[in-house]
Amino acid sequence: GFLTRKFEKLTKRLEAFLKPAEGEKKDDAFQKTSVTLILETGLRAVRELATYEPTCKKVAAHTPKGSLEVTVLPDGPSAHVIFGKTGVKVGRGPAEQPMARMAFSGMDSAHQLLTGKLDSFMAVAQEKVMLSGQLPMIDNLGLILDRVEKFLK
């Protein structure tokens, strides 16, 4: 059945994109798919934690209201988080009027940072990620994202 054969294959394929094996050379299409899946999965996890986990709920409540765009230059992928009075929403593509923006300099930089191979402070110092707008939004997003990993262990 689906759960015993097809679902297992699907989860192994997703794992290959979400947790790429060390040392394997990946082509551009693999890297873009991996970055897109990690980015969208991470932001959707932020929404869930901001809704149900007490600490993240407090962080989200004290985050400036508006949208935060996360994008890979020059052509995406892009996604956004909207911190609002009624909670957190997530969307694909660029935000209409972002209050804050986190832009990766390219696909390789995004992949390195999102897979934990590049420290976020080093990425900013090396201009592999550019931050602009309401920086408290980006800081609070980072606080919630840090808790995602704890829930996956």
Side-chain angles (χ1 to χ4, degrees):
F2 175 76
L3 288 178
T4 57
R5 284 177 282 189
K6 292 180 182 177
F7 186 72
E8 185 176 339
K9 285 182 184 178
L10 174 64
T11 58
K12 285 185 188 289
R13 184 71 175 138
L14 285 171
E15 185 174 9
F17 286 111
L18 293 169
K19 293 170 59 178
E22 290 287 328
E24 284 185 43
K25 181 68 178 152
K26 306 296 184 189
D27 64 13
D28 292 345
F30 177 92
Q31 196 172 49
K32 184 172 184 176
T33 301
S34 179
V35 166
T36 301
L37 286 171
I38 293 169
L39 178 61
E40 291 192 10
T41 302
L43 293 183
R44 281 171 173 65
V46 166
R47 180 191 63 208
E48 296 305 312
L49 289 178
T51 301
Y52 299 109
E53 198 276 330
T55 300
C56 294
K57 202 175 206 176
K58 287 178 188 172
V59 170
H62 290 92
T63 300
K65 304 306 176 229
S67 62
L68 184 163
E69 179 179 283
V70 183
T71 191
V72 180
L73 300 174
D75 302 316
S78 297
H80 59 276
V81 179
I82 302 169
F83 292 93
K85 291 180 182 178
T86 60
V88 175
K89 296 178 183 174
V90 176
R92 283 186 176 165
E96 285 185 32
Q97 294 181 331
M99 298 280 295
R101 189 168 193 241
M102 181 185 317
F104 297 100
S105 63
M107 198 63 67
D108 194 50
S109 298
H111 198 258
Q112 287 178 9
L113 189 65
L114 294 172
T115 57
K117 293 175 181 68
L118 178 64
D119 175 72
S120 60
F121 291 106
M122 188 62 74
V124 171
Q126 295 175 345
E127 296 183 355
K128 291 184 177 188
V129 64
M130 285 72 68
L131 309 175
S132 61
Q134 290 287 328
L135 296 183
M137 293 178 82
I138 296 170
D139 191 37
N140 287 359
L141 176 70
L143 291 172
I144 297 171
L145 281 169
D146 285 346
R147 296 194 58 89
V148 171
E149 189 175 335
K150 292 176 184 179
F151 279 85
L152 295 177
K153 290 183 179 183

